[in-house]
Amino acid sequence: MRGLMLLCLVLIHLHAGAAPPGAIVLWPGAPPGGAAPGPERDSAKGSITQVAQPYLIAHRPARPDGTAILLVSGGGYAHIEAGKESGPAAAWLQTQGVTAFELVYRLPQEGGGASAPFQDGQRAMRVIRARAAEWGIDPARIGMLGFSAGAHLAGMTAVQPDAALYVPVDAIDGVSARPDFVVLLYPVLTMQPPFDTTHAKKELLGSHPTQAARDALSVEWQVDARTPPAFIAQALDDPISPPENSTLMAAALRRAGVPVELHQFRRGGHGWGLGKPGSEPAAWPQLLMAWLQSHGWMPQAPG
């Protein structure tokens, strides 16, 4: 996989603005609102910036079980931590029979504006659902999983799947963008003080946002009865995203009558991806599998 990524990087530098070979480009032309001029930059650790053309990287299992998950890495909306978040998670999900898609989205300060990542999130869900039959996916079993600021993007897509964020460009935009379930890991969700201390807030809203702007991008404020069921996991010692991001969201979901499973680890910090072996957060993948199976989004394990 790393060899392919390096090859892609070379090709991208040769063809500024182009998505990697084999990628699923989200937009048939220029993305709405603009984008970074390119070429895309990918660090040795898989941190991505300068996304000129948003795209998906598909990880298709040999025998897909019909479930699909769109993965969104974090990075404070300043970069995309695919190397330690969506990449490893996609490889693991693929071994479980899940068709996984990594989302490489535009960053708000790189030409597309604050709406760009949310436009890409909606469009990605629509592309996956529109092509579900082609990829052996059940269109009623497509979820979204976000890490940190990527959980904010996933959360906003989940709570406002029908928001008119861009002018429809083709028939795909007539397909629902609502995930059937959403997974939020060490999430950034609220833009309300005193919990608005994240880099994501600064990238999206700047230093002195209006209250209306805070409200519009606080995921927990947009929850209603149509919000999909959620799985949330965070460490109580998270130094980047206050744990209240998770508890406020869980409370909002419960008030709306939406099923939610919240896991709070005593220790684990932030940015743990799949979780270091032996650490408390390393339990989340199996906890997630059990949750997906209990709701019928994945087949029960044999035996």
Side-chain angles (χ1 to χ4, degrees), residues 57-78:
I57 301 171
H59 299 255
R60 300 179 63 192
R63 287 185 285 277
D65 65 11
T67 303
I69 297 181
L70 174 62
L71 297 160
V72 191
S73 295
Y77 285 116

Side-chain angles (χ1 to χ4, degrees), residues 1-2 31 52 78 85-86 134 217 269 279:
M1 182 63 188
R2 289 303 307 162
E85 293 181 335
S86 64
E134 174 187 343
L217 289 180
S279 68

Side-chain angles (χ1 to χ4, degrees), residues 153-171:
L153 198 165
M156 287 297 294
T157 306
V159 297
Q160 293 189 328
D162 303 321
L165 301 181
Y166 60 91
V167 176
V169 296
D170 55 25

Side-chain angles (χ1 to χ4, degrees), residues 10 68 85 87 90 182 245:
V10 172
E85 293 181 335
V182 64
N245 280 276

